[in-house]
Amino acid sequence: MDHRKEELEKKRAKLAELRRQREERKRVTMQTHDQPTATGSKTNSQDIDDLVDSLVGDRVRAPASPLSTGTGTPGMSREASGIGRDRSISAATSAGTQLGSPVARAMTPGTLPSAVGGVPSGSTPAAGSGGNAFGSRTLPEFKTCDFVIFDFPPKEKVVYNKEVQTADGGSMPDASSLLTEEEIERRVRELREGDERARAAKEEDRTRREAEAKARESEIKRLTDEQRASILESSDFAAFVDQTSRVMERALDEDYDFMVDYTLAATHEAEEAGGEKMKLALSFHDDKVSRNRSVMDLAWSNRFPELVVAAYNRNPMAPNEPDGMVAVWNTHLRERPEFVFHAPSDVLRVSFSDFNPNIVVGGAYSGQILLWDTRAKAQPVLKTPLTAGGHTHPIYSLKVVGSTNAHQLISASTDGLVCSWQLDMLAQPQETIELAHPAHLHTDEVSVTCMDFADNETTAFIVGTAEGAAYQANRYDRAGSKAGLNGFDTYRAHTAPINSLSFHPPIASDFADLFLTTSSDWTTRLWRARPAAKPASTMPSDIRPLHVFDAFEDYVFDARWSPVHPSVFASADGTGRLALWNLNQDMELPVQWVNSGRALNKLAWDRPGRRIAAGGADGVVSIYDVGDLSVPRPEDHAQFARTIGELGG
Amino acid sequence: MSSSTNDVASTAAQQIDIDETINRLSSKKGVECVTILTKDGRVIRTTATAEHSELQGKLLSKLVRDAADIVKELESDDELSFLRIRTKRHEIMLALDHNYLLVIVQSPQKE
């Protein structure tokens, strides 16, 4: 209670003090007003006041009065008046612009207390109206005070002039000048026309250029002589001519006119395809390859049924030309070989590699084995060396045995050496077997002239020799038989060197052990091979042939079974006769024959068994069309089995 | 230098080979004329008359260009290799590579 009373007393005292101070201050200010010349600062403010009054007049006083009378405390009013004055000054001086209000407004919230109320935010007219309501008022006091002038640069108002900027500049209409509608239309039209004209001009230009280009194209262009000469000499051009002429020749060879109109009267009849007779279809001869040379070997390609490879021996008239030649002929390209390969000595045997379509393998007179690649040039890409590791005598037999992944080349030369090679490593043979016959007359060497493997056999083979005997040989030691020649079981019947030996093809397993031999004793014999698994006899014994074909009048050089017909084989002899035999029909005489005019060295059936390629001593490879003769009938197999049975095999 | 003489000899041999090839082609059955052109239609060698071959060059080179463009557009990784134009009486065969054209006109007949 006492506390509160004391406090109240204190507060009352304070309030009284404050009031007395206010009164004093008021008296002081009145005194200063009445003394106009008292201080310099006061005179300054007076001058300013007078100046302002004279300039502005009522407008100034109006806001000041409500300020001075409306505010509660004198101190506040003075400040407010001062501020208000300043604000009004600035408001007055910047009547035309809108500068002052943001400035004043910026200052007022911070400086004036809220007690001033709505006056600071009010504009001068509003204040003026408020001020008039109060009537008379005293001249407000001016005092100088410092304040910071913020001068904001005017906010740039970007004005876009949305007009077409014409290229020639022209007369740009000012923003202020108004365009009449007609003028607008006119201008738009002008511009559009201008565009059109430009487009038309461009179009014209383009068509003109096109016409020029066309004219240039249709002009006939000629080569100068130097250009022509340089082209003719370039190897690029030669390669082009070579390649495209080959393509052209194959294309030109097609005989069938596919646009023939059958409703028109036919002037000639079509020839029958096939037929009963064997006839000559093609003959391949090329001066470079065939002249003065003989065909030594022939083989068809398994991959491309139209390709035949032929091996040629030496041309004695031209010692500068390579001794050995191999030519790959295409039955669609009659005039010249597809590929020609060279060799340093006569090539005696050649064949396509079954497992790589680009490789051609050959055996030479020098004992070398040569490998050519159709992608490479004419020289062999791989050769066996002429060292004692390989053959040093002519290679008359070559055969690839095995499967795609594991195949080897077996070669036999006339010194009795049989080697097996890996086709990519011809530096040395994988294995060598010396075929030696101890009971031979002068030497135990066996001169192998031909060799063949029975179907599916890769280790046991039969060799034909120059003495006229054929022997069985093994590559490896087997149960019951040693590696090397089996000298005890001799297939002896021929009295002259055996020229060829060929096993029955794998048509049927029954006949897989039948083989034919031909010899220079004018005969061909049919034999049955002793089974390789049977152990060799310890005493020399002769095996007799099943049958003799002696209807020949000269050396018989080759006899080959047909790959499709079990009882058909063809023979080639020195009279040039290509004879076709069918053992089911006639055991003594050939069923058909064709005389080619010169001695035939070799013959080869193609894979489907419809054509025979025959190579002659004059270097010409002839292709004969066998026709229906070699097409087997279902009963032929059984019949042949009976025939063989009758022969006592 | 022996290499230079070899070059001379080989180019002469080349020329002979080219002539041989052209002769062989033109002596085949039914062939009427053989022409070798550059890609833009200039005549290098021909067995026909000069004007006829020039005309062939001008027209066929344009045809070959258009045909090659067509093939490239239809299958972007394929290229034109051979053109055969079969008319009522003749067949025009064009073999081409990057720089040259070989044109053969033949009248096909049955054997």
Side-chain angles (χ1 to χ4, degrees):
Chain A
M1 277 275 281
D2 294 333
H3 274 283
R4 251 183 270 130
K5 270 191 193 162
E6 279 177 23
E7 280 175 25
L8 283 168
E9 290 289 21
K10 269 188 215 155
K11 275 188 193 158
R12 254 185 242 128
K14 268 189 204 157
L15 278 169
E17 262 289 331
L18 280 169
R19 247 183 246 125
R20 252 183 281 128
Q21 280 179 11
R22 237 183 283 139
E23 304 285 317
E24 264 192 41
R25 251 180 270 143
K26 242 191 195 169
R27 256 185 286 121
V28 169
T29 51
M30 290 301 180
Q31 279 171 12
T32 56
H33 267 294
D34 297 337
Q35 295 162 28
T37 58
T39 51
S41 61
K42 290 211 172 63
T43 46
N44 278 342
S45 50
Q46 279 287 350
D47 283 345
I48 290 170
D49 285 346
D50 292 336
L51 180 66
V52 170
D53 281 347
S54 61
L55 282 175
V56 184
D58 280 353
R59 279 178 105 194
V60 175
R61 289 201 198 106
S65 46
L67 274 174
S68 52
T69 51
T71 54
T73 57
M76 294 296 173
S77 71
R78 221 178 295 134
E79 271 190 51
S81 64
I83 305 275
R85 205 32 135 157
D86 299 331
R87 190 184 55 124
S88 53
I89 291 174
S90 54
T93 50
S94 62
T97 65
Q98 298 120 6
L99 273 173
S101 43
V103 177
R105 270 189 231 116
M107 280 170 47
T108 44
T111 50
L112 278 176
S114 51
V116 185
V119 179
S121 50
S123 53
T124 42
S129 60
N132 289 334
F134 286 98
S136 66
R137 63 257 180 276
T138 56
L139 199 63
E141 293 171 6
F142 294 105
K143 70 168 187 168
T144 56
C145 63
D146 291 27
F147 57 92
V148 183
I149 300 179
F150 292 99
D151 204 0
F152 293 102
K155 196 169 174 188
E156 265 192 41
K157 258 198 166 179
V158 183
V159 176
Y160 287 100
N161 218 356
K162 281 193 205 168
E163 285 178 21
V164 174
Q165 305 242 333
T166 53
D168 53 73
S171 54
M172 292 276 287
D174 328 327
S176 52
S177 74
L178 298 165
L179 296 169
T180 62
E181 235 182 80
E182 293 166 3
E183 267 204 40
I184 293 172
E185 257 179 48
R186 189 171 53 81
R187 281 187 204 274
V188 166
R189 218 181 318 122
E190 266 177 28
L191 293 165
R192 223 180 271 150
E193 276 170 19
D195 276 342
E196 292 256 0
R197 258 178 277 124
R199 223 179 309 134
K202 231 187 289 178
E203 192 73 38
E204 258 182 53
D205 193 28
R206 193 162 55 85
T207 49
R208 188 168 32 88
R209 258 184 282 127
E210 270 180 17
E212 264 177 28
K214 231 181 249 167
R216 243 182 295 130
E217 271 179 24
S218 58
E219 237 169 54
I220 293 177
K221 288 175 283 200
R222 290 191 180 78
L223 277 180
T224 64
D225 281 334
E226 304 105 44
Q227 280 178 320
R228 182 171 296 143
S230 71
I231 289 181
L232 285 172
E233 282 173 14
S234 67
S235 60
D236 194 22
F237 182 69
F240 161 76
V241 170
D242 190 43
Q243 222 170 344
T244 49
S245 63
R246 229 185 280 166
V247 169
M248 262 316 173
E249 281 181 46
R250 291 192 216 134
L252 281 169
D253 264 342
E254 289 176 20
D255 288 328
Y256 182 57
D257 180 7
F258 52 80
M259 286 193 53
V260 69
D261 192 355
Y262 291 111
T263 60
L264 297 175
T267 50
H268 40 250
E269 304 159 8
E271 299 201 17
E272 322 160 16
E276 285 295 316
K277 287 190 68 73
M278 183 164 66
K279 58 187 193 311
L280 175 68
L282 288 171
S283 71
F284 293 130
H285 170 90
D286 183 62
D287 269 355
K288 231 180 349 179
V289 185
S290 319
R291 197 175 26 190
N292 287 332
R293 294 172 195 257
S294 303
V295 176
M296 299 304 293
D297 197 11
L298 280 174
W300 289 85
S301 163
N302 281 337
R303 184 67 84 86
F304 301 109
E306 63 266 10
L307 295 183
V308 184
V309 65
Y312 300 87
N313 64 358
R314 203 160 40 98
N315 181 351
M317 308 296 189
N320 293 330
E321 281 182 25
D323 274 355
M325 289 268 217
V326 171
V328 176
W329 294 91
N330 183 346
T331 55
H332 292 303
L333 185 62
R334 301 165 192 215
E335 306 284 310
R336 59 175 200 193
E338 282 275 352
F339 303 108
V340 174
F341 302 124
H342 297 159
S345 71
D346 309 25
V347 182
L348 301 172
R349 288 287 176 263
V350 78
S351 72
F352 277 101
S353 160
D354 282 344
F355 307 115
N356 186 335
N358 293 318
I359 304 282
V360 175
V361 185
Y365 195 79
S366 59
Q368 279 179 311
I369 296 188
L370 307 153
L371 209 80
W372 292 276
D373 195 326
T374 56
R375 297 165 292 202
K377 303 201 141 201
Q379 290 299 324
V381 291
L382 274 182
K383 276 195 287 203
T384 61
L386 281 169
T387 60
H391 295 283
T392 46
H393 278 68
I395 296 178
Y396 272 100
S397 339
L398 267 187
K399 186 139 173 121
V400 176
V401 295
S403 60
T404 322
N405 293 327
H407 54 273
Q408 288 159 332
L409 180 69
I410 315 283
S411 60
S413 62
T414 52
D415 58 352
L417 197 67
V418 174
C419 297
S420 80
W421 309 81
Q422 280 286 95
L423 274 177
D424 40 8
M425 224 271 288
L426 289 181
Q428 60 184 45
Q430 284 218 309
E431 50 182 48
T432 62
I433 314 162
E434 183 93 38
L435 295 179
H437 195 249
H440 256 186
L441 219 48
H442 301 289
T443 159
D444 53 2
E445 267 184 14
V446 170
S447 72
V448 175
T449 54
C450 47
M451 169 188 80
D452 203 4
F453 281 75
D455 172 49
N456 292 337
E457 278 278 0
T458 55
T459 55
F461 54 96
I462 310 260
V463 293
T465 63
E467 296 88 39
Y471 301 95
Q472 193 170 50
N474 294 309
R475 281 171 67 195
Y476 312 112
D477 280 341
R478 274 180 144 190
S481 24
K482 298 187 71 129
L485 199 80
N486 174 357
F488 295 112
D489 297 308
T490 320
Y491 300 84
R492 195 189 301 280
H494 283 293
T495 50
I498 296 181
N499 287 329
S500 83
L501 203 158
S502 93
F503 266 93
H504 200 273
I507 306 170
S509 50
D510 308 345
F511 315 122
D513 50 0
L514 293 174
F515 66 92
L516 282 169
T517 56
T518 61
S519 156
S520 298
D521 63 0
W522 298 21
T523 63
T524 301
R525 288 172 206 263
L526 176 68
W527 311 73
R528 174 168 288 224
R530 209 171 130 277
K534 208 162 143 207
S537 34
T538 45
M539 296 295 296
S541 66
D542 286 350
I543 303 178
R544 290 271 159 231
L546 289 176
H547 191 75
V548 175
F549 305 96
D550 52 11
F552 292 98
E553 283 155 23
D554 205 339
Y555 302 160
V556 189
F557 285 109
D558 204 0
R560 301 273 151 187
W561 293 97
S562 155
V564 290
H565 200 296
S567 63
V568 165
F569 71 89
S571 68
D573 64 14
T575 60
R577 192 175 71 162
L578 178 68
L580 208 64
W581 302 71
N582 189 341
L583 294 177
N584 282 344
Q585 290 180 9
D586 193 340
M587 292 289 290
E588 301 294 326
L589 289 173
V591 174
Q592 277 231 351
W593 61 88
V594 170
N595 202 310
S596 67
R598 65 277 179 217
L600 288 176
N601 255 341
K602 207 83 174 68
L603 69 93
W605 288 83
D606 71 339
R607 212 136 181 257
R610 298 205 59 103
R611 288 184 295 192
I612 300 178
D618 56 353
V620 176
V621 177
S622 318
I623 310 280
Y624 290 89
D625 210 358
V626 177
D628 299 336
L629 288 168
S630 77
V631 175
R633 289 168 306 159
E635 59 271 18
D636 277 326
H637 187 98
Q639 200 174 355
F640 190 54
R642 253 178 289 131
T643 317
I644 297 297
E646 280 169 23
L647 287 173
Chain B
M1 280 282 283
S2 62
S3 60
S4 62
T5 50
N6 276 352
D7 286 346
V8 170
S10 65
T11 52
Q14 259 179 31
Q15 294 246 17
I16 294 176
D17 280 341
I18 295 169
D19 289 337
E20 239 183 66
T21 312
I22 295 181
N23 285 337
R24 194 183 47 236
L25 283 174
S26 52
S27 60
K28 283 188 91 78
K29 189 172 38 85
V31 171
E32 296 197 357
C33 69
V34 177
T35 312
I36 308 186
L37 308 158
T38 65
K39 199 151 194 222
D40 52 358
R42 294 180 226 249
V43 179
I44 301 178
R45 266 288 163 77
T46 177
T47 63
T49 63
E51 319 145 13
H52 185 65
S53 58
E54 280 174 357
L55 194 64
Q56 274 181 342
K58 176 181 88 169
L59 301 166
L60 289 173
S61 65
K62 181 170 180 310
L63 177 69
V64 164
R65 249 202 308 280
D66 290 342
D69 288 342
I70 291 172
V71 169
K72 257 288 184 298
E73 268 200 55
L74 286 178
E75 303 246 354
S76 62
D77 51 351
D78 208 354
E79 331 189 318
L80 182 66
S81 55
F82 201 89
L83 254 185
R84 267 179 121 143
I85 306 172
R86 186 70 165 88
T87 72
K88 212 160 65 165
R89 286 196 306 262
H90 300 300
E91 184 167 16
I92 305 177
M93 301 199 272
L94 292 135
L96 61 142
D97 83 348
H98 288 293
N99 298 321
Y100 309 108
L101 286 175
L102 173 66
V103 183
I104 293 193
V105 179
Q106 73 156 348
S107 41
Q109 342 150 337
K110 288 198 83 167
E111 219 167 305

